[in-house]
Amino acid sequence: MAAVRTLAPGLPPGRLEQEFTEHAPLLTAAEAAAEANRCLYCHDAPCTAACPTKIDVPRFIGKIATGNLAGSARTILEANLLGYSCARVCPVEVLCVGACVYNDWAQRPIAIGRLQRFATEGVIGSGRTVLAAKPRRKGRVALVGGGPASLACAGTLALEGVEAVVYERARWGGGLNTAGIAPYKMPAADALREVAFIESLGVRLETGVDVGEDLPVERLFADFDAIFLGIGLGGDSRLRVPGEEGPGVVGATALIERVKHDPTLRFAPSTRAVVVGGGNTAIDAARELAKLGASVTIVYRRRREQMPGYDHEMRQALDEGVHLLLERAPVVVVRRDRQLVALRVARAEDGRPVAGTETEVPADLVVVSIGQARLASFVARFPGVELDGRSRIVVDPATGRTGNPRVYAGGDAVNGGKEVVNAVADGQTAARAMLAAIGAAPAQGA
Ligand code: SF4
């Protein structure tokens, strides 16, 4: 193999993310038992139906109620190998918890995500075995990108005894789980514990490997039976307005990654931040800055009901002091002696700025969260893999197979940017299809 295994270094101390408190801390044993005993164990389990990975919710809750935590974790992980991070980052309000029958009676729904975390907390990264891999058998799969889609795919393959090697360009595995989740939901260290759990299933993770540069794509085709592309999205899109170049303007995912990883990042307490965008990443960035003491305004070019971010997240942001400026589009980043002083915005109609309506929002920091670029030129290195009109990889949704029968794909690169649980579902679907293609029958329920 051309690549050299690079052990990921530990996270440095003194990172800003360590200053956040969890918004949903780990339940105590007594709290978990009381909550589990509220579950009605519904026969039709709408909570399970609402889960993209179809975790058997009443079954794992029932095992918590009887004190069988290892069994509960097994139930979760057999359906979703990243059940630990999904417990912490899933928008449960619009998935399992939103489907709980208690909502129909105007009563508090079961805290499914928090119970799921409680069940898996003691297993992830602990070295305890709740899933056993089959003996090694034929088949080798390379996975490009070390995020949730690849990890779920690789773990499923490894459990069936198929060799799975994940190549990650960054220093740490986990993709957005490690670099992009708001710290009050899940810190990077916990994401890395989950990466270690996936490695414990027999997956080999090679970090610091840039496929296409350090490791030619041709080598992947020569050395492996199949390839999975879990490459996510590219860098933050730019505003493309005058004044954008220079200090004080940063992409939202780049900012969040620095909050989580970079011990040198600090903000003055009086920082005035403007976040441009209306998606979940924009809301996350705004909430993080507000919790760090900044005065934060979200600027969005359409109406509140048109914001692509979750309404419950936006309501929490408003409760935390974030201001919301709707139907405004940025037109100029205003600088004085190169120093950022404001974002000039115009009233927007149908998302477009109207001339002669400009006002200025004072700013020391502008955070751009209007989407991420696609990795079209990278995908072009894989013959037969096609993109749609929005530069998303085209796959057969039943198998994750691309136009090249040896190449599969899943996660954000395919869906354009959804939840971790969707990426996990994609990765597991592709793994099952690969197992069939290389003649290794999948395990029951895998
Ligand atoms: Fe339990 Fe609610 Fe699911 Fe019913 S819908 S099984 S009460 S979590």
Side-chain angles (χ1 to χ4, degrees), residues 33-271:
E35 189 66 4
N37 280 304
R38 287 182 63 232
C39 181
L40 303 171
Y41 308 115
C42 305
H43 181 64
D44 57 349
C47 46
T48 293
C51 174
T53 56
K54 299 290 176 278
I55 293 173
D56 190 334
V57 174
R59 186 173 168 83
F60 93 69
I61 291 180
K63 290 181 178 178
I64 293 175
T66 57
N68 179 7
L69 279 191
S72 181
R74 188 177 303 114
T75 296
I76 294 162
L77 296 170
E78 282 176 349
N80 179 335
L81 281 175
L82 272 65
Y84 176 68
S85 58
C86 285
R88 305 188 63 177
V89 308
C90 260
V92 291
E93 293 84 351
V94 297
L95 295 172
C96 53
V97 173
C100 178
V101 294
Y102 273 107
N103 294 293
D104 298 339
W105 307 320
Q107 292 188 42
R108 183 173 62 79
I110 302 295
I112 300 168
R114 298 187 72 182
L115 287 173
Q116 186 169 312
R117 178 186 174 186
F118 180 79
T120 50
E121 182 78 36
V123 168
I124 297 302
S126 69
R128 289 174 58 199
T129 303
V130 291
L131 300 176
K134 290 180 179 174
R136 182 59 58 84
R137 62 168 112 178
K138 69 172 184 176
R140 303 187 75 213
V141 176
L143 302 100
V144 184
S150 285
L151 293 178
C153 183
T156 304
L157 293 166
L159 283 171
E160 289 300 322
V162 170
E163 184 176 355
V165 185
V166 178
Y167 296 105
E168 166 59 54
R169 188 173 50 181
R171 298 170 74 193
W172 295 287
L176 283 179
N177 267 4
T178 306
I181 299 295
Y184 48 86
K185 294 178 182 173
M186 184 174 71
D190 286 354
L192 291 180
R193 283 201 296 130
E194 186 172 61
V195 173
F197 162 72
I198 295 294
E199 289 186 273
S200 78
L201 303 177
V203 170
R204 205 167 95 220
L205 171 64
E206 308 241 0
T207 57
V209 178
D210 193 350
V211 170
E213 300 296 328
D214 306 323
L215 178 60
V217 169
E218 295 74 26
R219 288 296 303 271
L220 295 184
F221 279 105
D223 292 346
F224 294 90
D225 299 295
I227 299 167
F228 179 82
L229 300 178
I231 55 177
L233 301 173
D236 295 292
S237 299
R238 293 157 43 83
L239 284 176
R240 302 192 186 284
V241 300
E244 183 173 15
E245 296 299 333
V249 179
V250 62
T253 67
L255 176 76
I256 293 171
E257 181 170 352
R258 286 195 65 196
V259 168
K260 292 175 76 73
H261 292 176
D262 183 356
T264 68
L265 181 67
R266 286 292 178 272
F267 298 103
S270 56
T271 297

Side-chain angles (χ1 to χ4, degrees), residues 339-364:
Q339 192 67 32
L340 171 64
V341 293
L343 181 68
R344 188 173 302 152
V345 298
R347 188 163 56 78
E349 283 182 6
D350 220 10
R352 298 180 192 286
V354 177
T357 64
E358 290 88 355
T359 54
E360 288 188 1
V361 185
D364 310 298

Side-chain angles (χ1 to χ4, degrees), residues 239 247-252 272-276 330 333-334 340 342-343 361 363-368:
L239 284 176
V249 179
V250 62
R272 300 162 302 177
V274 176
V275 179
V276 181
V333 175
V334 183
L340 171 64
L343 181 68
V361 185
D364 310 298
L365 175 69
V366 171
V367 182
V368 183

Side-chain angles (χ1 to χ4, degrees), residues 415-433:
N415 63 38
K418 286 190 176 177
E419 302 298 336
V420 172
V421 68
N422 301 108
V424 172
D426 284 357
Q428 294 180 166
T429 295
R432 287 191 286 266

